[in-house]
Amino acid sequence: MTTAITDSFTQDHHRCDRLLAQAERRVAAGDWPAAATAVADLGAAMEHHFALEEGILFPELAQVFRVAENPIEIMVAEHAQLRALLTDLHQAAAERAQADALGVLETLHLLVQQHNYKEEGVLYPMADGALPERGAAIAALLAGD
């Protein structure tokens, strides 16, 4: 069985984790120009990842594997929650509100880890099994970032 979707989307999760850690370091150091860049990089990376899932991976999976609809709805709802936290983080970084930004980053870190665990353990393997002929093409879209 191919694991192209699981492998590539999991690697992208790790890339986003590194960007999140970098944002935490920059905010903790009070290096606001670097923090603004790190927060922007994190937001762009996560939005790209969500857009590929919501625009391509999830619809194709739901089309061929109806049982995936419920977990997909949960993942999309969690994306909305993560996007709201990213908005709060951008605001806190723009205001140089260090305690607020670190609080948002801590919450974001926790929720991202829980979210990624579900996607990597359930949804991506399900997609690899249901979309074996499309996995490599969908995975290649992540490299376009």
Side-chain angles (χ1 to χ4, degrees):
M1 181 173 95
T2 180
T3 59
I5 292 170
T6 299
D7 293 347
S8 62
F9 279 78
T10 297
Q11 286 175 353
D12 201 51
H13 281 168
H14 295 312
R15 182 176 70 92
C16 291
D17 290 345
R18 289 190 296 275
L19 292 171
L20 178 59
Q22 183 175 6
E24 287 176 319
R25 285 191 301 274
R26 301 293 189 227
V27 168
D31 183 354
W32 293 109
T37 299
V39 167
D41 291 347
L42 172 64
M46 289 183 68
E47 184 54 45
H48 177 70
H49 187 94
F50 295 161
L52 285 175
E53 288 178 337
E54 294 173 6
I56 296 170
L57 179 62
F58 293 168
E60 288 194 31
L61 177 59
Q63 193 171 35
V64 298
F65 201 49
R66 309 262 316 151
V67 73
E69 288 179 352
N70 188 29
I72 287 170
E73 287 179 23
I74 293 168
M75 294 302 102
V76 171
E78 289 181 5
H79 288 174
Q81 186 178 16
L82 294 170
R83 283 182 173 114
L85 286 168
L86 287 168
T87 298
D88 292 346
L89 178 59
H90 282 282
Q91 172 109 16
E95 295 172 356
R96 298 183 176 195
Q98 189 177 41
D100 291 346
L102 288 172
V104 171
L105 283 161
E106 183 177 342
T107 302
L108 191 59
H109 181 82
L110 176 66
L111 293 179
V112 162
Q113 294 311 309
Q114 293 172 346
H115 177 81
N116 292 353
Y117 180 78
K118 290 180 264 184
E119 285 185 336
E120 293 168 12
V122 177
L123 214 49
Y124 298 157
M126 192 182 296
D128 277 319
L131 303 166
E133 70 289 343
R134 289 277 302 136
I138 292 170
L141 296 173
L142 283 171
D145 184 33

